[in-house]
Amino acid sequence: MFDVKKIKKDFPIFENYKRETGRDLVFLDSAASSQTPKVVVDAMDDYYFKYRSNIHRSAYNIGEQATNSYEDARKTAAEFINADTNEIIFTNGATDSSNMLIYALEKKIEWKEGDEVVTTILEHHSNLLPLQEMAKRNGVKFRHFEMAPDFNIDYGNLDGLINEKTRIVSMTLASNVTGAITDVKRVSEAAHKRGAIVIVDATKAAGHMLVDVKSLDCDFLFFSGHKICGPTGIGILYGKYDILNKMPTSSFGGGTVEDVTMEEAKYSDAPFRFEAGTPNIAGVIGLGAAIKYLEAVGVENARKHTQDLVAYAIKKLSTISGVKIICERDHLKNIGIVSFVVDGVHPHDVGEILNRHHVAVRGGHHCAIPLMKALGVSAISRASFYIYNEESDIDALAEGIEEAIKIFS
């Protein structure tokens, strides 16, 4: 049995919030950043208070302990997505991963006239903009999948979009707006038949569903730690080792080289060639602890729980006149998001009134302005669910929405 009340006790913010306000915190914004369990903060504190030192450089005891903890987290992250340890690069987060990757691919690929890159209308700006700018710099045609009526990707033009001119296909595994889980494997198969590189933004999916890079058959994949119960400022960039080892790095400095002369440098093999300078050691250790925590809870258990919450939320909000639900309505294909608009009430106003009920949701364009335009709205309200949410949270959400409607009617 999935015991939400027991899980909630692992997250001190809920008890602390109630102590300070006298009210329960209804946190429905995990798509922006999830909450952090105490075990993650404890792991980071242990590093700072018990073996604070740099990594890969020291022969003394606490230096070796720091290095071992850091590399153990790399192993944990690799197993989490069914990758090899040397295919995991630690970054500052998904945005950093995306920019680093696109910069390296831009230098690696020999661009030719007529080359194309493909993405989707569902993309977050962190995946869209680096690719868009790279295409401009190199005179590359920029193409994308449109949205289907179910708020997923329209695969009807798959063979037309991905062809012999396609060099890169970059797409999200799950939309941070509509919650729709995309068919990456299908797209990967079509892309690889034509020799294209496949990049997957798993930022909303990782930790919310099982992610297997070998099953997806993607060449690269990235996600952030702060959306899977980990700390901010840390992320994962996965790449197939054979490709990584042939790619140039975009950041240079200590820890990336085997030998240096005044004229040139010999760079280390992946992943170390991509991790210049002193990294976010505590963040990496915290991310490793977060992954272990989620594995103990069970990612499949979390997935089933959020599916049930999506189904309940859609049913509940559908009864409120004036609310238009904008999300993947099949809860089995939804990552845990129910977005909506309220007639006559701006999403920012909805968020403010919900805040009076101690309900936290996100209102805005969600770093997906092209998708907002495709939906015909400037902004949208988004409720996103995770392991510490329960049906009573959705009841509180509905009550707040009904009050907003009364105030603005």
Side-chain angles (χ1 to χ4, degrees):
M1 181 178 178
F2 197 86
D3 192 340
V4 177
K5 288 180 170 51
K6 182 179 179 182
I7 287 173
K8 219 164 190 175
K9 291 178 181 178
D10 296 334
F11 296 80
I13 191 171
F14 295 108
E15 182 180 344
N16 292 336
Y17 188 91
K18 188 166 187 176
R19 184 184 302 116
E20 293 179 6
T21 66
R23 296 286 299 273
D24 289 323
L25 171 63
V26 178
F27 189 76
L28 301 177
D29 195 25
S30 293
S33 270
S34 65
Q35 294 301 330
T36 308
K38 187 175 183 297
V39 65
V40 171
V41 180
D42 287 346
M44 297 170 71
D45 283 349
D46 280 348
Y47 164 72
Y48 280 121
F49 299 150
K50 296 179 180 178
Y51 56 99
R52 157 82 176 200
S53 54
N54 217 318
I55 59 169
H56 301 146
R57 293 164 173 82
S58 307
Y60 49 83
N61 290 341
I62 61 172
E64 290 184 356
Q65 187 176 356
T67 297
N68 290 339
S69 295
Y70 184 92
E71 292 303 326
D72 283 347
R74 195 191 304 275
K75 182 180 179 182
T76 297
E79 293 173 348
F80 188 56
I81 59 173
N82 194 25
D84 295 331
T85 304
N86 57 8
E87 295 177 320
I88 299 296
I89 300 166
F90 290 119
T91 68
N92 294 334
T95 302
D96 185 40
S97 297
S98 179
N99 279 275
M100 175 194 300
L101 175 58
I102 293 301
Y103 178 84
L105 286 174
E106 180 176 8
K107 293 171 66 178
K108 179 182 184 296
I109 295 174
E110 295 182 6
W111 299 100
K112 299 176 183 177
E113 185 177 352
D115 281 348
E116 301 177 356
V117 294
V118 177
T119 187
T120 86
I121 193 68
L122 300 182
E123 303 308 308
H124 188 281
H125 293 166
S126 62
N127 192 38
L128 175 67
L129 297 183
L131 189 69
Q132 188 181 82
E133 292 298 320
M134 183 212 63
K136 289 180 182 178
R137 288 192 297 267
N138 294 277
V140 175
K141 188 174 182 179
F142 195 78
R143 310 184 72 188
H144 68 271
F145 286 91
E146 296 288 358
M147 183 174 58
D150 61 357
F151 304 112
N152 205 308
I153 293 169
D154 183 355
Y155 300 97
N157 193 30
L158 177 64
D159 292 329
L161 280 172
I162 300 176
N163 54 59
E164 286 69 23
K165 296 178 181 180
T166 307
R167 306 303 299 277
I168 297 174
V169 178
S170 185
M171 64 184 294
T172 186
L173 181 51
S175 170
N176 74 311
V177 175
T178 70
I181 299 170
T182 64
D183 193 346
V184 166
K185 191 169 184 177
R186 178 181 178 184
V187 176
S188 288
E189 183 179 354
H192 285 149
K193 281 182 179 179
R194 295 162 176 86
I197 290 171
V198 177
I199 302 170
V200 175
D201 176 0
T203 308
K204 186 61 198 79
H208 298 255
M209 62 180 281
L210 292 176
V211 175
D212 185 330
V213 294
K214 290 183 171 60
S215 176
L216 294 173
D217 193 25
C218 54
D219 299 298
F220 299 95
L221 178 143
F222 58 83
F223 60 92
S224 292
H226 68 96
K227 296 181 190 285
I228 61 168
C229 299
T232 57
I234 191 66
I236 295 294
L237 171 59
Y238 155 82
K240 289 180 178 176
Y241 186 73
D242 289 344
I243 302 177
L244 278 182
N245 238 16
K246 298 174 183 176
M247 287 177 59
T249 182
S250 59
S251 183
F252 308 92
T256 63
V257 293
E258 293 181 2
D259 191 25
V260 181
T261 68
M262 293 306 296
E263 290 75 32
E264 61 182 356
K266 180 182 179 182
Y267 288 91
S268 303
D269 289 339
F272 304 108
R273 65 190 300 159
F274 298 101
E275 295 179 3
T278 298
N280 181 1
I281 301 170
V284 168
I285 292 169
L287 176 57
I291 292 172
K292 289 179 180 178
Y293 174 81
L294 286 175
E295 288 176 334
V297 170
V299 175
E300 288 183 304
N301 295 333
R303 178 82 188 98
K304 176 63 168 60
H305 177 64
T306 54
Q307 286 174 342
D308 292 343
L309 291 176
V310 165
Y312 183 75
I314 291 173
K315 181 179 179 181
K316 188 80 175 180
L317 298 191
S318 295
T319 65
I320 305 175
S321 178
V323 173
K324 180 182 179 183
I325 297 171
I326 301 175
C327 73
E328 169 59 74
R329 285 178 173 265
D330 184 346
H331 64 288
L332 299 179
K333 299 178 181 178
N334 188 309
I335 201 64
I337 291 174
V338 174
S339 294
F340 58 93
V341 291
V342 180
D343 289 345
V345 189
H346 193 279
H348 291 166
D349 294 320
V350 172
E352 171 55 31
I353 293 168
L354 285 170
N355 182 55
R356 299 175 191 176
H357 289 251
H358 302 267
V359 178
V361 300
R362 179 62 58 92
H365 57 62
H366 309 286
C367 296
I369 293 176
L371 178 55
M372 294 296 113
K373 292 178 179 179
L375 291 168
V377 298
S378 61
I380 202 168
S381 298
R382 181 186 69 189
S384 50
F385 315 117
Y386 209 17
I387 54 177
Y388 34 68
N389 293 123
E390 49 194 325
E391 289 186 357
S392 62
D393 294 340
I394 296 166
D395 294 338
L397 169 67
E399 290 173 9
I401 292 171
E402 288 175 339
E403 181 175 326
I405 292 171
K406 289 179 181 178
I407 291 173
F408 283 89
S409 62

